[in-house]
Amino acid sequence: MENFYSWMIKPISSDDVEIWFNMNNMIPEKRELFSDFTFSLYFLIRDTYLGDEFTETQETKVLLSDSEKKEHFEWCWNKTIENFAKENIHFNNRGEHKEYFEQFFHDLFYNAEKKELALNISKFFLEVFDEKKSFTKSDLDMMTDIYKRLNKNLKQKK
């Protein structure tokens, strides 16, 4: 139980965080880029999604089908990739990074039973990417996972 507590809550020293970043080849510019990508995707999804109004009564609740949710994610994903390409930053359109975010948003946004969960995604990403706060092992694991998936699918300049 103590290991779980340490992983979730116990802050890691800034020196250990820096060692972690160096061991995992996580350079600051890419950490910032991947944070920007993640937030761009999230805000586009949140701001353009028209379904599943969270209301107290079922009578006024608008539901989208799974295929409509998937189409919405696809449109947001493609738009985010396109927006970064306009800045000469090119990501692969398909790959494990897409699968990761698609599953993440499927579970925590599109199919969230409580509005609070869907609305707290931005707080979650702030916790993961905010380098001004103390990191936990959990934060570092999550950031590293996202970093490695996006880095693997960032097209290198030729």
Side-chain angles (χ1 to χ4, degrees), residues 20-37:
W20 177 272
F21 288 154
N22 290 334
M23 282 180 16
N24 287 284
N25 298 317
M26 296 171 63
I27 61 173
E29 294 81 7
K30 283 189 178 179
R31 293 193 309 259
E32 184 177 349
L33 171 64
F34 299 154
S35 172
D36 290 346
F37 181 91

Side-chain angles (χ1 to χ4, degrees), residues 38-39 100 104 108 117 119-130 133 138-139 142-143 146:
T38 302
F39 278 101
Y100 173 87
F104 179 91
L108 299 176
L117 184 60
L119 296 177
N120 284 322
I121 291 174
S122 63
K123 290 180 186 176
F124 169 75
F125 285 136
L126 281 173
E127 284 291 314
V128 169
F129 288 107
D130 182 5
K133 63 143 182 75
S138 173
D139 295 333
M142 184 64 65
M143 179 193 265
I146 293 170

Side-chain angles (χ1 to χ4, degrees), residues 56-69:
E56 295 299 318
T57 65
Q58 287 291 90
E59 296 149 10
T60 59
K61 191 170 187 177
V62 177
L63 295 175
L64 295 183
S65 69
D66 285 341
S67 65
E68 290 170 321
K69 292 173 185 177

Side-chain angles (χ1 to χ4, degrees), residues 25-114:
N25 298 317
M26 296 171 63
I27 61 173
E29 294 81 7
K30 283 189 178 179
R31 293 193 309 259
E32 184 177 349
L33 171 64
F34 299 154
S35 172
D36 290 346
F37 181 91
T38 302
F39 278 101
S40 295
L41 178 61
Y42 166 66
F43 288 129
L44 188 60
I45 288 171
R46 185 197 68 189
D47 293 347
T48 61
Y49 189 63
L50 301 175
D52 297 355
E53 289 294 322
F54 292 95
T55 60
E56 295 299 318
T57 65
Q58 287 291 90
E59 296 149 10
T60 59
K61 191 170 187 177
V62 177
L63 295 175
L64 295 183
S65 69
D66 285 341
S67 65
E68 290 170 321
K69 292 173 185 177
K70 186 169 180 57
E71 287 173 15
H72 180 257
F73 176 83
E74 281 290 327
W75 181 85
C76 292
W77 179 260
N78 292 332
K79 189 69 172 161
T80 301
I81 297 286
E82 177 185 313
N83 289 343
F84 275 81
K86 289 177 185 175
E87 300 297 325
N88 207 23
I89 301 168
H90 302 278
F91 289 93
N92 293 325
N93 198 325
R94 303 282 178 248
E96 66 182 71
H97 61 315
K98 181 184 182 230
E99 293 168 9
Y100 173 87
F101 282 108
E102 187 170 22
Q103 190 63 52
F104 179 91
F105 286 107
H106 180 295
D107 293 344
L108 299 176
F109 182 82
Y110 293 112
N111 293 321
E113 290 187 24
K114 295 186 178 185

